[in-house]
Structures are given as structure tokens and as C-alpha cells.
Amino acid sequence: MRMKKRTSSLIILKRMARNKGAIFGLIVVLLIVFVAIFAPVIAPKDPYKQDLLASLEPPSWKHPFGTDVFGRDVLSRVIYGARTSLSISSLAVLIAFILGATVGTIAGYFGGVLDEVLMRILDVLMAFPDILLAIAIVAALGPGKINLVVAIAIYSFPQFARVMRASALTIKSSEYVEAAKAIGESNLSIMVRYVLPNALAPLLVQATLRMATAVLTISGLSFLGLGVKPPEAEWGTDLAMARVYLEIAPHLGIFPGLALFITVLGFNLFGDGLNDALNPRLKDR
């Protein structure tokens, strides 16, 4: 058994190594996570310290990304913006992962009326575009980090539940699950010990891809004034302020926009590569 797991892991690593896009995405994700964790050490300036005498300075040795209208260092705000975006999106995706895995496991394992009711509820949630549902939730609850987490978790968990349900429908008819039932193992034990662990691969792929969507949503809602509140450093908030000064200080929009673009691209490329590597239908060549 241990040899099989080791062989399977090697095959996955080989597939990932052959996918240049996935490797690039992984490097980007690791770099962004590193920057977010060590933001206080990496940032050259205090992202909230104002210097009105240095307002709207272009990029220079002193301020590599320039300064904003309040004289704050744009590079430091971009670095701290990574911490804000990743902390909110990670918590939201984790909640959606747990909630979706739970609902999907229950629906797929038990089936019947319970499955129909749960799936119809998910259909209603999935009928709305992600960003519109997030706007409606945040507009009802009010702007703020906690409400952003709630909004992203609510519109994300149906995707996890769908993926988990599909896996549970297949796994529950497998021989080892039938054997567990035959020896009198409880349904809860079967779901926790057999169904959920064997469905982790597609859930991890979904989590990686949902991180990209979550980061975009956070910036989009902050841009509209429904997300992170100023003066906290966040890419969408900084882009909202930059649009007023784009003609005289284009650097205000270029660097936060690039950070957002590269982060989303990295998560998407890594997620696609991970999906290809974990797909059992692909034959190793």
C-alpha cells in the first residue's frame, strides 16, 4: 500500500513538472504567499504613513512604485494588499470547502429526497452570477472583512458541494465501502474514513481555482466601496482611488492592477495544472 502511494505521488509530481504553466503558477502562488506572510519585513515603508510633500511622486529609487495622493509608498501598499487579499480569500475558501464537502457528502451518500432538496437549494444559489450574489449579500450585511468572507463562502460552497456529491456517488458503491457496511461500521464513520479522503483531490483543485475567484471578488467589491475600507491596503481599494489620477499618475493603477492580474493568473495556472496531474483518466507517458 505504501509503495502504491509513493508511486502515485511520483506520477503526479512528474505530470506537474512537465506542465510549465503549472510550475509557473506554483512559483507565483508561493511567492505571493511568502510576500503576504512576511509583509512587515519586506515592505520598505509604512504603508499607512502619509507624507503630503511627496504626493503623487513617480517611481524612483526612494519609492520604486511611486507614491499615492497622500504620499504613501505604493510598493508597501501593494505588498500589504497581498496580505489582505490572501487572508480574506483563504478564510472564505476554507469555510466554503468545509461546508461544501459536508453538504456534498451527505447528499451523495444518502441520496433520495435529501439529495434532491439539497441540490435544488444549491441550484438556486448557482443561478446567480458570483459577483452579483456577493454584491447582494454585502449590500445587505454592510461592507467589511467579515461580511466579505461570508459573501464569498456563500457563493463558493455550492461548487464544492457539487464536486463532493459527484465523488460520493461513485465512492459509496465501491467494494471497500460495501465491506465497511457489512461489518457494521456507522454511516458517519464511513463518510469520514472512506468517502471524504478519497474525494480530496478534486476538492483541492476546486479550492485552488476558487482562490482566484475570491481574490477578484474582494478587489471588485472593494473597488465599488463594498469591501475593505480605506485606509487599509487592498488592491481594489487602491485601484478605486487611482482612477481619479490615472492621467497624471498612472503608476497608481498599474502596480496594484499587475499584482491582482499576476495573482489570479498564478492560481488559475496552478489549479489547471493540478487538475491535469490528479486526473486519473490521463495516462502517464
Side-chain angles (χ1 to χ4, degrees), residues 40 44 82 84 89 95 97 102 119-120 163 165-166 171 190 208 273:
T84 302
S89 57
I95 294 172
F97 184 103
T102 302
M119 288 304 102
R120 297 298 76 77
V163 171
R165 174 182 177 270
I171 296 169
I190 292 173
T208 306

Side-chain angles (χ1 to χ4, degrees), residues 32-66:
I32 294 297
V33 171
F34 177 83
V35 168
I37 294 174
F38 296 101
V41 178
I42 299 172
K45 308 283 185 181
D46 183 346
Y48 304 109
K49 184 179 180 180
Q50 299 184 13
D51 182 6
L52 296 180
L53 296 178
S55 175
L56 298 178
E57 284 189 358
S60 62
W61 286 111
K62 185 178 180 181
H63 300 285
F65 286 5

Side-chain angles (χ1 to χ4, degrees), residues 63-75:
H63 300 285
F65 286 5
T67 62
D68 64 11
V69 67
F70 298 109
R72 298 174 299 193
D73 185 65
V74 174
L75 173 58

Side-chain angles (χ1 to χ4, degrees), residues 94-171:
L94 177 61
I95 294 172
F97 184 103
I98 295 172
L99 183 59
T102 302
V103 172
T105 302
I106 293 172
Y109 183 80
F110 291 105
V113 177
L114 180 60
D115 180 28
E116 286 293 325
V117 171
L118 291 175
M119 288 304 102
R120 297 298 76 77
I121 294 174
L122 296 184
D123 286 343
V124 171
L125 291 175
M126 294 178 69
F128 298 94
D130 291 349
I131 188 65
L132 292 183
L133 184 57
I135 289 174
I137 294 171
V138 174
L141 299 177
K145 287 184 178 180
I146 300 299
N147 294 338
L148 266 180
V149 170
V150 172
I152 295 170
I154 288 176
Y155 81 61
S156 295
F157 96 88
Q159 284 79 11
F160 286 99
R162 283 286 190 182
V163 171
M164 185 65 223
R165 174 182 177 270
S167 298
L169 287 172
T170 302
I171 296 169

